[in-house]
Structure formats: C-alpha cells, structure tokens
Amino acid sequence: MIYLGIDCGTQSTKTVALDGDTGKIIASAAQHYDVLPGLPTGHMEQHPSTWTQAVDATVREVLGNLGVRRKDVRGIGVSGQQHGFVALDKQSGVIRPAKLWCDTSTVEECDLLRKHFGGAQFLIERVGLDMLPGFTAPKILWLKCHEPENFAKLATVLLPHDYLNFHLTGKYRMEFGDASGTALLNVCTRQWETDILKFIDPSMPEKMPAVESSCKPIGMLKPDLAKRWDLAGDIVVSAGGGDNMMGAIGTANVIPGRITTSLGTSGTIYAYSKKPVIDKGGEIAGFCDSTDGWLPLLCTMNVTVATEAVRNLFGWSVEQLDSAVESVPAGAEGLLFLPYLHGERTPNLPAGCGVFHGLTTRTMKPELMARAAMEGATLGLAYGLERMKELGIVPSEIRLTGGGSKSAIWRRICADIFNCPVVTLAQSEGAALGAAIQALAAVQTSKSIAGWSTEIVQTNPSERIVPDGKNASYYTAARQKFVSLTRTLARHNFL
C-alpha cells in the first residue's frame, strides 16, 4: 500500500509517495510560490488557494508518476507551516489572506495580551509559550483591532494544515501538536484556554474547532477529490500536524535523547518528551507533538539567511563558501557574528539586526566573515540546546536536516558547537515523510506512529560526526560571549 505525505510550507508545497511495504519514497513533486507582494514591512501573507492549487498540482504529478500503482494509495497525511491564521466565514469561505508564522506585525497585540494577564509568566504557565508575534493568538486580535469588518465575519479559525485537511475531507478539527502553536491551547490539559480566547473576544470559544488526539484520523478523502485524482477505495486522511511535528516523525525524533536540528532559511531545534516541558523564561516553546507526546522547541529566523548573505556578498558558489569556511580555524580568529538579519524570534528581537564583533584589519577577510556567519547561526541554535538541557532534556544524538546539513564543514561545526554526535538522514523529505508515516499508522494500526517512524527512517552512518573536544571547549566560551553580547546590545536598544 502507498501513502501520500503533503508538506505545505511558506515557499513551496511538496507531495511524496511512501511505499508502506519497503519504507521507500517512490515518487515526489514540488511546486514553488511566494508570499503576497507589496505588503507593509513585517506583514507576511499568502492566500490559502495558493496551497490548495499546489496540493492538487503535486498530488496529480505524483500519482501520474505512480502509474497503475495510484490504485494502491490508502492514506494521506498533511504537514503545514505552523501558526498561520486562516479565517473562515459561516459559508467556509476564506475571509482574507492568511497571516503566516513569519509575520511580525502583531507586536502591539502581544503587548496587549501580556499586559492584560499580568505579564509573560501567566501565559507561559497556561499555554507553555510567551506571547510572540509569530503565534496565532495575536494574529486573531490583530484582525479584530485592524480589520473589524473582517473579524465580524469570522466563524472558524484554522491553521494551514487544518485548512488543507478541510479541503481534503470537508471537516474542521485540530490536533494537539499544531494547536499548541496557537498560544491558545493549555499544553498540559490539551484544552483551549478560554480566558485568553474570551479576552480576544467573548465569541472566540465558539470559533475554535474541536481539538483531539494527533493519532486519530480526521476522516476520509472527499469522493469528488478521489474521483478527480482517480483513486480507488476509501482513502484515510490522518490528523496531520505542524511542519516541526511532522519533521519529528520524519526524522524518528520519537524517543527521548534524539534531537532534530533544521538548518534551513530559519532554524529549529527540538526534542521528544514524555511529559510537558515548560520554560518559565519563555525561550523554549512547550509544544505538544503529533504522536500525543510533547515537543520542546526553539526557533530562530536566521540560519542559511546568514550564510547566503555572505555568499552573495562575495559572489561565491556554495562550494566556494564551504571551502572558505574550512580554510580557517574554529572561532574565525575571534570574529563573532550575531545573525539577526531578519530580526529574531529567539531571542525576541523582531526588529533586530546583524552584528560583526571583533572586526580588525586582521579579521576583516571574506573567509573569516564566512566562518563567523556559519558559526553565529549555529551558536544561536546551541543556546536553545543548552536551555533544553537545563529543562531536563538529555541529548544523545542530533539529526540534521535542511539545506545546511548538506555541508560537511557545517556538520563538523554543529558537532563541535553542540558538543554532541550529529548525523544526517537517508531521506531528506522530513516533514512530508513524517506526514506519510502518520497516514500509514492511521491505516496499518499494528504499530504506533513512533513504531513505524523508527522502522522506516534511516540515517547516513558515513556522515555521522562526533565532536572534537578542543573545538567544543572553545565554542562553549564563544557561546557565552555570543549570549552576553546579544543581551547587552538588546538591553541598550542597539538590536
């Protein structure tokens, strides 16, 4: 039997076909798109029709590649970019374009929510998160404050993957993982936090879908879609989840000790936990995962953003960038880079900027700036890993994904900065693979999601790297300097 995994991101939608018998990806397709142009600074939006069109196009391409085996498809799972706000009216029509996770226009609404509830501590205790611009809750309040005529039409709040589930099944529902990224779900009780909802508006509890187990399928593929795609029999649609939750399944980050780190445009580092992990400082998000466990997570907005900026500055190819970085020693001779080129989510610096510290006539060299950029992006993630350790997470292995993981020198830097063995995955699909595995588990219930994930996901032993003790010691001091410099500049409003 075959299972489709759909991953709807900010830049593209990918669909993969997983052969449940062999555990191999046997077909894939992607369609790229962009955010809406011409919006004010800080506003990042897409129309949900962009996603549904991309789903239709990529599913058709994958099924075409499967040929007669399209009749073997038995399940579909959906991964979606987290935190996006899809506003529907009473007729299930989209009221306005969706505000995305990377939209930072809601700073004032975050402040209103914190102020009403007496500061961040109350919010962290209730929903496991500080109220940051990326989350869904302040986006809903923004709609009420800035577009009251649209808010008056609001009947249902969905997240991007929920909207695609609705497109596939005609049903509204949320699951624990993605719902925990709204800043509206109590991550301990897994119920909506009605005090926060009612502060946004007394009508809000009625506008939130039911939230249920991530292991429970949402329903069956609508007959009209099954007919359009020429699929045979009943097709199960699993609960799906947010991209990080599906990425955890797709990297077999489903047992304690395994950590996933994504080196993409933005970066994430997250771990599996059997119990809620609440960071009273609000830096580690206390998410639920999409296997009915928990997923403490740190997100940064500048990873390959930093290295691509340097590469473009000097007109290098990717290979030339890696060669330049490898040509200089760990620490870039004292040059340190704070990589906040797109602002930052952790630490919460929505208007932040990048900083080179330690520039001299000796260190102002392309290769040193390149090394500092790669190290700076990684040090930001390492700060999150250290915070996770303080909260009880004990890493045994870090699984690297994203474009940056293809770089051998970056993998070496990760091993040394994280001071933990790192390894890459044999299959790079990540979230799409996780969505397909969840769909498989929804149909073939002989194993749990975690059981299927552990069986199917494979690593690349040849790309496993253990830390160099000398470099790891150096980077411990560099991380402390990185954090201290960030805090000092932020305190004086220089970031």
Side-chain angles (χ1 to χ4, degrees), residues 58 87 97 102 107 120 127 132 172 213 260 268 275 329 349 405 478:
T58 56
C102 46
V107 173
V127 299
L132 302 180
Y172 295 151
S213 169
T260 301
T268 51
K275 60 183 180 181
L349 300 166
S405 68

Side-chain angles (χ1 to χ4, degrees), residues 101-308:
W101 71 273
C102 46
D103 185 292
T104 58
S105 65
T106 60
V107 173
E108 292 181 4
E109 286 70 30
C110 291
D111 290 341
L112 287 172
L113 284 156
R114 286 197 200 96
K115 182 178 180 180
H116 177 80
F117 290 105
Q121 198 58 49
F122 171 92
L123 298 166
I124 293 168
E125 290 173 358
R126 292 294 186 93
V127 299
L129 309 167
D130 188 7
M131 196 61 64
L132 302 180
F135 299 141
T136 315
K139 294 179 173 68
I140 302 171
L141 184 55
W142 182 94
L143 185 70
K144 181 180 179 180
C145 294
H146 294 267
E147 299 180 359
E149 69 287 354
N150 281 333
F151 185 82
K153 302 174 187 175
L154 181 65
T156 304
V157 172
L158 294 180
L159 300 168
H161 112 264
D162 301 317
Y163 182 75
L164 291 179
N165 276 351
F166 167 70
H167 173 69
L168 295 173
T169 68
K171 294 183 179 180
Y172 295 151
R173 204 186 85 194
M174 288 194 188
E175 52 81 45
F176 298 141
D178 212 4
S180 67
T182 62
L184 294 167
L185 186 82
N186 186 313
V187 297
C188 296
T189 66
R190 303 188 201 250
Q191 296 178 345
W192 295 121
E193 191 58 52
T194 54
D195 288 348
I196 301 176
L197 285 166
K198 288 181 178 179
F199 170 72
I200 294 174
D201 192 83
S203 68
M204 279 307 303
E206 305 167 6
K207 302 178 189 298
M208 302 303 296
V211 59
E212 296 181 353
S213 169
S214 305
C215 299
K216 179 182 177 181
I218 187 171
M220 310 303 292
L221 182 67
K222 291 188 298 186
D224 63 314
L225 283 179
K227 182 178 180 180
R228 184 193 310 171
W229 293 338
D230 192 22
L231 296 175
D234 293 332
I235 310 297
V236 173
V237 179
S238 65
D243 51 3
N244 291 306
M245 291 75 190
M246 291 295 103
I249 297 171
T251 58
N253 185 349
V254 290
I255 61 173
R258 286 182 186 157
I259 308 288
T260 301
T261 297
S262 175
L263 305 177
T265 303
S266 58
T268 51
I269 185 164
Y270 48 87
Y272 172 82
S273 177
K274 293 182 178 179
K275 60 183 180 181
V277 177
I278 307 299
D279 180 6
K280 293 182 179 180
E283 293 176 312
I284 302 300
F287 294 145
C288 303
D289 78 348
S290 288
T291 69
D292 289 355
W294 282 267
L295 194 78
L297 176 147
L298 174 129
C299 177
T300 65
M301 295 180 70
N302 301 272
V303 180
T304 59
V305 167
T307 55
E308 284 296 283

Side-chain angles (χ1 to χ4, degrees), residues 5-9 12-15 33 77-81 243 429 431-432 435:
I6 299 168
D7 178 30
C8 173
S12 68
T13 288
K14 172 180 279 189
T15 295
Y33 42 75
V78 177
S79 163
Q81 49 181 299
D243 51 3
E429 284 78 9

Side-chain angles (χ1 to χ4, degrees), residues 219-492:
M220 310 303 292
L221 182 67
K222 291 188 298 186
D224 63 314
L225 283 179
K227 182 178 180 180
R228 184 193 310 171
W229 293 338
D230 192 22
L231 296 175
D234 293 332
I235 310 297
V236 173
V237 179
S238 65
D243 51 3
N244 291 306
M245 291 75 190
M246 291 295 103
I249 297 171
T251 58
N253 185 349
V254 290
I255 61 173
R258 286 182 186 157
I259 308 288
T260 301
T261 297
S262 175
L263 305 177
T265 303
S266 58
T268 51
I269 185 164
Y270 48 87
Y272 172 82
S273 177
K274 293 182 178 179
K275 60 183 180 181
V277 177
I278 307 299
D279 180 6
K280 293 182 179 180
E283 293 176 312
I284 302 300
F287 294 145
C288 303
D289 78 348
S290 288
T291 69
D292 289 355
W294 282 267
L295 194 78
L297 176 147
L298 174 129
C299 177
T300 65
M301 295 180 70
N302 301 272
V303 180
T304 59
V305 167
T307 55
E308 284 296 283
V310 171
R311 187 176 71 82
N312 292 331
L313 177 64
F314 297 117
W316 289 336
S317 66
V318 172
E319 293 74 20
Q320 287 173 316
L321 171 71
D322 282 358
S323 178
V325 171
E326 198 164 11
S327 72
V328 296
E333 297 185 16
L335 188 61
L336 186 67
F337 184 55
L338 307 185
Y340 311 135
L341 301 177
H342 282 183
E344 190 49 271
R345 176 164 159 178
T346 310
N348 184 27
L349 300 166
C353 60
V355 175
F356 274 107
H357 183 269
L359 279 173
T360 66
T361 54
R362 179 177 57 83
T363 60
M364 197 169 180
K365 298 177 181 177
E367 62 272 21
L368 293 174
M369 295 174 74
R371 178 102 192 189
M374 194 172 283
E375 290 177 342
T378 312
L379 286 168
L381 289 166
Y383 173 76
L385 180 62
E386 291 305 307
R387 184 67 184 128
M388 286 184 186
K389 291 178 183 178
E390 294 169 2
L391 296 170
I393 301 298
V394 181
S396 58
E397 179 182 83
I398 294 176
R399 298 186 165 198
L400 299 177
T401 66
S405 68
K406 298 176 183 178
S407 164
I409 183 59
W410 206 335
R411 295 195 296 270
R412 161 53 61 194
I413 288 171
C414 284
D416 293 344
I417 287 181
F418 297 146
N419 196 18
C420 184
V422 303
V423 69
T424 59
L425 283 302
Q427 295 169 318
S428 61
E429 284 78 9
L433 174 60
I437 291 172
Q438 192 197 58
L440 185 159
V443 176
Q444 297 182 223
T445 57
S446 59
K447 294 186 183 74
S448 65
I449 296 172
W452 283 114
S453 173
T454 301
E455 178 176 313
I456 289 172
V457 175
Q458 303 294 317
T459 61
N460 290 317
S462 64
E463 294 186 350
R464 181 179 175 86
I465 299 177
V466 297
D468 177 287
K470 181 179 179 181
N471 287 348
S473 296
Y474 174 85
Y475 282 130
T476 296
R479 187 185 70 251
Q480 293 168 350
K481 182 178 179 181
F482 178 95
V483 173
S484 178
L485 184 59
T486 294
R487 289 175 176 170
T488 299
L489 291 174
R491 186 168 61 247
H492 292 285

